Amino acid sequence: MVVHKDQIRDDIVSVAAKIFTRFGYKKTTMEEIAMASRKGKSSIYYYFSSKEDIFKAVVEKEAEELKKDLKMAIDEVENPINQLKKFILFRMHKLKTLTNFHTALKSDSLSHFKFIENIRKEYDQDEIEIVTRILKIGIEREKFVIDDPDLAAVALVTAMKGLEIPLFINKEHGRIEDRLENLIQFLFFGLIKQ
Amino acid sequence: MVVHKDQIRDDIVSVAAKIFTRFGYKKTTMEEIAMASRKGKSSIYYYFSSKEDIFKAVVEKEAEELKKDLKMAIDEVENPINQLKKFILFRMHKLKTLTNFHTALKSDSLSHFKFIENIRKEYDQDEIEIVTRILKIGIEREKFVIDDPDLAAVALVTAMKGLEIPLFINKEHGRIEDRLENLIQFLFFGLIKQ
DNA sequence: TAGATATTCGAATATATTCTCCGAATTTCA
DNA sequence: TGAAATTCGGAGAATATATTCGAATATCTA
């Protein structure tokens, strides 16, 4: 029956996610996925049309998770400025656990998969949407002075991505929060009401 | 010149050890080893005759390290009973970092390499030797009552290996020491002078 | 229960990767 | 300068892997 089939697909995706996380796309074999799922290799092809197809499902699942958790994390905080901080920090931490989605975003050895381009765009869109919402609320509450919040959101997200790599590389976790403070001050220089 | 060549071999072995540790024998490619060593693929073949040959060098190096460190660790302790404890504990902890040697000892997907059999035998021999020495010193100092220390050493090492797996799997590090106490009591029941 | 449909898997095939070797180019050093 | 040491690109054979096929089995439906 159909429901059951989705369940098995999900199981396979979970199992595959772990293996992809450990070994990366190329070094992961269908045989491994099959064995770990306790199925025959060809049964996997009953549920997925290809290795790429499984990977796609894995990445999409991780993207969903990130999106959902991001929204939840932000809602836990009140002040829009703190929401921004939380957004940047939480995103960064969470991304470390979502290895497959993260490499899908970064790796160019994977960029020949057309689906990755779509995921990127979609995810960018989501981020901008979230930030825009935060900014607009901030403006309403007279925390921010921004003429064009849509434009500002794009700029902010872009800047954030630019800063992601140095932050990612930096191992000194304690200091990230401090630097984040500076980042926000910098990005919103003159825009935050004192 | 010859000295330089050995140096480069050593470098390659170090680099390869990391990759083998991360991905295992099969998933590691000569190309990766070459790239990580910043050499052309075929240059690697100038220094080693095959992938197996590199792996052999890696495993032998780790075996050397274990052997050396084990001896040092034991010498830091006085009482033979404590030496035994230290031997068992240290060996177990150290083995966790020497992944390639460890898998060489255990994995049967690798057992078609003839050199592995030799390494095993050699290492077993070394262990028995060390334990025998500890026992004999213990007897001299009248800590132990053992008729045949050679036989006892073999029995002890064998028992130790049997207990290795459950100890390895057990994550609760704190308790390992306690259980070790029991193990020694058990193995030497009636043999340790009170 | 029969017949249809869903699922499984072993074995075969097509494709891709990887090990290994060759030989020519470059470097080192006496 | 010339001989030996070292490097590496690229080719070919061997191996590994992804994917397909078809037959067997299980599950559902009426």
Side-chain angles (χ1 to χ4, degrees):
Chain A
M1 63 202 61
V2 175
V3 180
H4 188 220
K5 185 163 179 178
D6 280 350
Q7 174 59 46
I8 294 183
R9 270 186 62 105
D10 261 13
D11 291 348
I12 295 174
V13 169
S14 298
V15 165
K18 285 184 198 156
I19 305 179
F20 281 131
T21 296
R22 172 131 184 245
F23 296 118
Y25 181 79
K26 202 164 162 218
K27 281 180 195 269
T28 296
T29 70
M30 293 300 272
E31 176 121 23
E32 279 173 306
I33 294 173
M35 292 219 297
S37 308
R38 291 190 286 177
K39 294 224 175 307
K41 218 186 327 172
S42 26
S43 298
I44 303 295
Y45 281 92
Y46 178 73
Y47 295 98
F48 296 91
S49 66
S50 66
K51 184 179 171 184
E52 177 183 338
D53 195 30
I54 301 180
F55 188 65
K56 186 178 165 197
V58 166
V59 171
E60 279 169 350
K61 192 180 171 191
E62 291 188 0
E64 273 313 307
E65 183 183 330
L66 177 57
K67 194 171 150 182
K68 200 192 70 199
D69 289 0
L70 259 180
K71 286 191 169 143
M72 274 182 51
I74 289 167
D75 287 345
E76 284 173 2
V77 181
E78 254 303 308
N79 182 317
I81 294 176
N82 289 334
Q83 283 187 325
L84 270 187
K85 286 184 195 169
K86 181 112 188 189
F87 176 78
I88 296 176
L89 262 187
F90 185 85
R91 175 182 175 284
M92 203 175 61
H93 286 307
K94 188 82 191 173
L95 223 38
K96 287 193 181 173
T97 72
L98 302 175
T99 318
N100 299 302
F101 177 62
H102 194 210
T103 49
L105 289 187
K106 304 286 169 200
S107 157
D108 51 53
S109 74
L110 253 40
S111 58
H112 63 278
F113 292 151
K114 342 81 205 160
F115 80 88
I116 286 189
E117 183 60 16
N118 293 332
I119 298 238
R120 281 179 191 166
K121 281 183 191 161
E122 240 177 74
Y123 176 66
D124 281 357
Q125 209 45 51
D126 283 341
E127 277 198 330
I128 290 173
E129 213 170 274
I130 294 175
V131 172
T132 305
R133 204 156 46 86
I134 297 176
L135 290 185
K136 286 187 175 167
I137 293 173
I139 293 170
E140 265 174 36
R141 300 192 189 164
E142 306 198 344
K143 298 280 182 187
F144 300 139
V145 186
I146 303 173
D147 286 337
D148 187 341
D150 294 301
L151 188 62
V154 174
L156 177 53
V157 168
T158 308
M160 215 184 65
K161 283 190 201 303
L163 285 152
E164 183 182 302
I165 294 166
L167 284 175
F168 245 96
I169 291 170
N170 186 348
K171 314 277 186 198
E172 312 158 58
H173 262 246
R175 300 208 179 159
I176 289 183
E177 271 80 357
D178 296 344
R179 299 178 61 195
L180 184 61
E181 192 69 44
N182 294 339
L183 166 60
I184 294 207
Q185 291 298 331
F186 173 75
L187 289 172
F188 285 86
F189 179 73
L191 301 182
I192 297 177
K193 281 202 174 169
Q194 299 302 339
Chain B
M1 68 205 53
V2 175
V3 178
H4 188 219
K5 187 160 177 178
D6 280 350
Q7 173 60 45
I8 295 183
R9 269 184 64 104
D10 261 13
D11 291 348
I12 295 175
V13 169
S14 298
V15 165
K18 283 182 198 156
I19 306 179
F20 281 131
T21 296
R22 173 130 184 245
F23 296 119
Y25 181 79
K26 202 164 162 217
K27 280 180 195 276
T28 297
T29 70
M30 293 299 270
E31 176 120 25
E32 277 174 307
I33 294 174
M35 291 218 299
S37 308
R38 291 190 289 178
K39 295 224 173 306
K41 217 185 331 166
S42 24
S43 298
I44 303 295
Y45 281 93
Y46 177 73
Y47 296 98
F48 295 91
S49 66
S50 67
K51 184 179 172 185
E52 178 184 336
D53 195 31
I54 300 181
F55 188 65
K56 185 178 164 197
V58 166
V59 171
E60 280 170 350
K61 192 180 170 190
E62 291 189 359
E64 273 312 307
E65 183 183 331
L66 177 57
K67 196 172 149 184
K68 199 192 69 197
D69 288 1
L70 259 181
K71 285 192 171 145
M72 273 182 52
I74 289 168
D75 287 344
E76 283 172 3
V77 181
E78 252 304 307
N79 182 317
I81 294 177
N82 289 334
Q83 283 187 326
L84 269 186
K85 287 185 194 168
K86 181 111 188 190
F87 176 78
I88 297 177
L89 262 188
F90 185 84
R91 175 182 178 284
M92 203 175 61
H93 285 308
K94 187 81 192 173
L95 224 38
K96 287 194 181 173
T97 72
L98 301 176
T99 318
N100 299 301
F101 177 62
H102 195 209
T103 49
L105 288 187
K106 303 287 169 199
S107 157
D108 52 51
S109 74
L110 253 40
S111 57
H112 64 280
F113 292 150
K114 341 84 201 159
F115 80 87
I116 287 189
E117 184 59 19
N118 293 333
I119 298 239
R120 279 179 192 167
K121 281 184 192 158
E122 240 177 74
Y123 176 66
D124 280 356
Q125 210 43 51
D126 282 341
E127 278 198 329
I128 290 174
E129 213 172 276
I130 293 175
V131 173
T132 305
R133 203 155 47 86
I134 296 177
L135 291 185
K136 286 187 176 166
I137 292 173
I139 294 170
E140 264 175 37
R141 299 190 190 166
E142 306 198 342
K143 299 281 183 184
F144 301 138
V145 185
I146 303 172
D147 286 335
D148 186 341
D150 294 301
L151 188 63
V154 174
L156 178 53
V157 168
T158 309
M160 216 184 61
K161 284 191 201 301
L163 285 153
E164 182 181 302
I165 294 166
L167 284 175
F168 245 95
I169 289 169
N170 186 348
K171 314 277 187 198
E172 314 158 58
H173 263 245
R175 299 206 179 161
I176 289 183
E177 272 80 359
D178 297 344
R179 297 178 60 197
L180 184 61
E181 193 68 43
N182 294 339
L183 166 59
I184 295 208
Q185 291 296 331
F186 173 75
L187 288 173
F188 285 86
F189 178 75
L191 302 182
I192 296 177
K193 282 201 173 168
Q194 300 303 337

